[in-house]
């Protein structure tokens, strides 16, 4: 890439406005699609929905069935479509290819290629299905694929969305692993199928759930893509730095696949989102935070680059969801993930395309906890309207135990000596002397130095012996054991997503 001084001024200003995200590249841009769920009794007709999608510049949509009215409306629209074979059909699909032959003929071949069906999601979060349909999953996927081959439709990918609850470990990301009871019966056979057919693993990824379940150790900034470089989280297992919980969750899935030697399988995020309204116990559910999460996510995806573990693999993501769905059961958040109200008015305004990113303005748009009131839309460079709580974060500096005692001691000596940190509390018989370990003392000294330097960039490094955290050091390494972070706390926000 040419030095910045030679870039056109317009491009330079755009890059500067996106400086806290990876530098974009035309070759590695990802894609944004959207989930079109219909668990509601007040949604516009499918033909109007297609026009809405086109108006918003959306060219990928994911359905939860193969409704003929919807597929017909999408015909000739140039919108690529992912359809679904619902969980309740898995046992029949697994039992006989004659069933999937008929299903493919009626639901795929009858509409393709006028309707650009690009993938079939066989089931949805099957491992979390209370009806225990796991045993049918891979045979059903294989039969669907065989039927596609039979009717010369093998270009259509076959996969199945998993919830992060399929992971046994998800923190740190490098420790990602699948639940042991799923590995032999279904994970390995599924990944082998995906590898052979060139299909991606589909995953539903929700930082919102991880945040609401771990507000004591996960900052809102980190969950909303608002953490700056000095607040990046360092994976203690591989040293990679994470600027967002979303990327950390994805890399936990990649690590789980790598552990089983399936590192060639790609990943597509088939659901992710943030609710604009929630119950009192649903921390972070608000219109402002939903706009921040989804807006920053879109910017992150469309400006290119992969995750720290897979930097060269573009992120392909489906937002959840197009509409608020009034017939969904459960907490208030379940009915408030939509970008639009059923009357097609925006719940909040975020750019959804590359062009939209460059044209973001300060016009007023409806967003305030999901109610129709007016607030300013953020300028380009932020994802959406951001709550005050998301911008008031504090950070601390702690020791990286993986650096080794020698490196920690070297950093400790510098901080307490030339660095001018206040190390009196960690002297013998002083208040913070115990626990008497190099790591604990180094954490205290590093943080003292970091705060003294006003938390400036580069002041929490010490040759790789330290990193920035967003919770008080006592939560991490000093006096208290750190609570484990569960990044895979819950499944996605839905009942089994089937139109009623």
């Amino acid at each position: 890439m040419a030095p910045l001084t030679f870039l056109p001024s317009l491009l330079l200003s755009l890059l500067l406005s996106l400086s806290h995200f990876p530098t974009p590249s035309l070759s590695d841009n990802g894609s944004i699609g959207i989930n079109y769920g219909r668990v509601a009794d007040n949604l516009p007709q499918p033909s109007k929905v297609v026009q809405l999608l086109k108006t918003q510049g959306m060219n990928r949509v994911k359905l939860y069935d193969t409704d003929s009215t919807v597929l017909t409306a999408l015909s000739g629209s140039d919108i690529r479509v992912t359809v679904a074979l619902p969980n309740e059909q898995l046992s029949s699909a697994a039992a006989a290819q004659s069933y999937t032959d008929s299903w493919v003929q009626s639901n795929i071949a009858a509409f393709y290629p006028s309707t650009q069906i690009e993938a079939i999601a066989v089931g949805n979060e099957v491992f979390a299905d209370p009806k225990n349909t796991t045993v049918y999953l891979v045979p059903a996927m294989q039969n669907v694929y065989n039927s596609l081959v039979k009717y010369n439709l093998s270009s259509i990918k076959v996969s199945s969305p998993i919830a992060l609850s399929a992971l046994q470990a998800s923190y740190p990301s490098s420790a990602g692993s699948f639940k042991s009871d799923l590995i032999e019966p279904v994970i390995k056979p599924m990944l082998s199928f995906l590898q052979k057919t060139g299909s991606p693993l589909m995953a539903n990824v929700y930082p919102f759930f991880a945040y609401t379940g771990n507000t004591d150790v996960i900052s809102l900034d980190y969950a909303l893509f608002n953490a700056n470089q000095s607040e990046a989280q360092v994976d203690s297992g591989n040293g990679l730095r994470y600027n967002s919980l979303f990327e950390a969750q994805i890399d936990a899935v990649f690590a789980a696949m790598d552990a089983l030697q399936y590192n060639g399988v790609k990943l597509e995020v088939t659901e992710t989102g943030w609710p604009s309204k929630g119950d009192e116990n649903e921390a972070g559910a608000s219109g402002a935070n939903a706009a921040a999460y989804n807006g920053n996510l879109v910017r992150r995806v469309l400006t290119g680059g992969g995750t720290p573990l897979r930097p060269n693999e573009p992120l392909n993501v489906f937002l959840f969801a197009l509409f608020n769905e009034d017939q969904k059961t459960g907490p208030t958040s379940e009915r408030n993930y939509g970008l639009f109200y059923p009357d097609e008015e925006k719940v909040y305004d975020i750019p959804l395309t590359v062009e939209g990113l460059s044209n973001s303005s300060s016009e007023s748009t409806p967003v305030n906890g999901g109610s129709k009131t007016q607030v300013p839309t953020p300028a380009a460079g932020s994802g959406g309207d951001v709550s005050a709580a998301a911008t008031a974060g504090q950070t601390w500096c702690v020791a990286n135990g993986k650096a080794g005692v020698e490196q920690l001691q070297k950093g400790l000596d510098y901080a307490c000596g030339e660095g001018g940190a206040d190390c009196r509390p960690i002297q013998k018989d002083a208040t913070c002397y115990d626990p008497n370990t190099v790591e604990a003392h180094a954490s205290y000294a590093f943080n003292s130095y970091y705060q003294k330097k006003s938390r400036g960039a580069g002041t929490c490094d010490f040759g790789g012996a330290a990193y920035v955290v967003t919770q008080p050091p006592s939560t991490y390494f000093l006096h208290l054991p750190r609570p484990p972070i569960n990044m895979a706390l819950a499944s996605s926000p839905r009942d089994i997503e089937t139109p009623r």
Side-chain angles (χ1 to χ4, degrees):
M1 179 179 289
L4 287 180
T5 52
F6 296 104
L7 290 173
S9 59
L10 178 61
L11 179 57
L12 177 59
S13 63
L14 177 60
L15 290 178
L16 291 175
S17 72
L18 303 175
S19 59
H20 65 293
F21 291 111
T23 303
S25 165
L26 292 177
S27 63
D28 60 4
N29 291 349
S31 66
I32 289 289
I34 198 159
N35 283 276
Y36 173 21
R38 306 194 320 281
V39 186
D41 61 3
N42 55 359
L43 299 182
Q45 291 297 312
S47 58
K48 294 190 67 179
V49 173
V50 172
Q51 289 305 310
L52 175 64
L53 292 170
K54 295 177 71 173
T55 299
Q56 297 301 314
M58 303 297 293
N59 60 10
R60 299 187 77 197
V61 67
K62 178 171 162 285
L63 311 177
Y64 291 90
D65 61 4
T66 52
D67 183 87
S68 60
T69 305
V70 175
L71 292 177
T72 299
L74 286 162
S75 177
S77 66
D78 291 327
I79 296 173
R80 290 175 288 160
V81 186
T82 295
V83 299
L85 186 149
N87 287 6
E88 56 266 28
Q89 297 182 36
L90 287 177
S91 60
S92 298
Q97 190 183 323
S98 59
Y99 182 91
T100 56
D101 283 351
S102 177
W103 186 88
V104 166
Q105 284 183 302
S106 300
N107 297 284
I108 307 298
F111 301 96
Y112 184 89
S114 295
T115 300
Q116 295 183 19
I117 300 171
E118 63 175 344
I120 300 171
V122 177
N124 191 27
E125 298 188 352
V126 173
F127 311 145
D129 186 351
K131 295 182 180 178
N132 194 24
T133 52
T134 296
V135 66
Y136 306 119
L137 178 58
V138 176
M141 293 172 69
Q142 186 66 60
N143 281 345
V144 168
Y145 177 76
N146 290 342
S147 296
L148 290 172
V149 171
K150 181 176 182 178
Y151 298 110
N152 298 315
L153 298 169
S154 59
S155 62
I156 297 173
K157 302 300 183 184
V158 177
S159 188
S160 183
I162 65 168
L164 289 196
S165 56
L167 297 181
Q168 182 165 290
S170 58
Y171 182 85
S173 297
S174 59
S177 61
F178 291 107
K179 288 182 176 177
S180 56
D181 62 327
L182 294 175
I183 290 175
E184 295 299 332
V186 64
I187 296 293
K188 281 187 175 180
M190 179 174 67
L191 292 177
S192 179
F193 169 84
L194 297 176
Q195 188 174 66
K196 290 176 182 177
T197 61
S199 296
L201 176 66
M202 295 175 170
N204 297 339
V205 179
Y206 285 91
F208 171 72
F209 286 123
Y211 170 71
T212 56
N214 299 277
T215 54
D216 55 337
V217 291
I218 297 178
S219 77
L220 191 58
D221 280 334
Y222 189 54
L224 297 179
F225 296 87
N226 284 329
N228 58 41
Q229 289 296 328
S230 67
E231 297 169 331
Q233 301 292 300
V234 177
D235 188 309
S236 60
N238 57 24
L240 294 175
R241 302 176 74 87
Y242 288 89
N243 296 316
S244 72
L245 179 56
F246 175 79
E247 293 174 310
Q249 288 181 312
I250 291 175
D251 275 357
V253 180
F254 276 130
M257 289 196 289
D258 290 352
L260 299 179
Q261 307 300 311
Y262 287 97
N263 56 348
V265 176
K266 297 185 182 298
L267 186 145
E268 184 165 83
V269 178
T270 37
E271 289 184 21
T272 189
W274 197 282
S276 60
K277 188 184 295 186
D279 296 324
E280 289 185 6
N281 63 344
E282 295 185 283
S286 73
N289 290 337
Y293 177 80
N294 284 319
N296 284 330
L297 171 68
V298 170
R299 185 175 298 279
R300 172 67 182 81
V301 169
L302 295 183
T303 55
T307 64
L309 195 59
R310 294 286 186 274
N312 298 319
E313 294 187 15
L315 293 167
N316 296 307
V317 174
F318 286 89
L319 299 176
F320 188 90
L322 185 58
F323 295 110
N324 285 342
E325 299 172 67
D326 69 338
Q327 291 191 321
K328 300 187 84 170
T329 58
T332 298
S333 62
E334 297 276 343
R335 295 172 288 284
N336 290 279
Y337 275 84
L339 271 63
F340 292 87
Y341 296 103
D343 63 5
E344 301 182 47
E345 184 177 345
K346 292 179 179 180
V347 178
Y348 46 84
D349 192 24
I350 60 170
L352 294 169
T353 63
V354 173
E355 294 76 15
L357 291 174
S358 60
N359 294 330
S360 294
S361 67
S362 58
E363 297 175 359
S364 294
T365 53
V367 49
N368 185 14
S371 60
K372 299 183 182 181
T373 54
Q374 302 292 313
V375 299
T377 299
S382 63
D385 185 58
V386 184
S387 68
T391 61
Q394 168 68 291
T395 57
W396 293 264
C397 184
V398 298
N400 177 9
K402 300 291 185 180
V405 172
E406 183 177 346
Q407 189 66 26
L408 290 174
Q409 187 65 55
K410 180 188 284 189
L412 176 61
D413 292 342
Y414 173 84
C416 293
E418 184 180 344
D422 181 7
C423 295
R424 289 172 297 179
I426 55 175
Q427 302 305 309
K428 189 172 183 179
D429 297 325
T431 56
C432 294
Y433 179 76
D434 290 318
N436 180 22
T437 66
V438 173
E439 184 176 355
H441 288 182
S443 281
Y444 188 97
F446 293 170
N447 188 55
S448 175
Y449 177 85
Y450 179 62
Q451 302 301 332
K452 177 182 176 181
K453 296 295 184 181
S454 301
R455 304 190 298 278
T459 61
C460 181
D461 184 67
F462 300 95
Y467 61 93
V468 173
V469 296
T470 55
Q471 298 294 323
S474 61
T475 312
Y476 286 79
F477 298 109
L478 294 182
H479 307 319
L480 299 175
R482 184 183 179 199
I485 293 178
N486 185 355
M487 295 197 303
L489 190 69
S491 301
S492 58
R494 55 169 185 80
D495 312 314
I496 297 300
E497 182 72 72
T498 306
R500 295 174 181 170

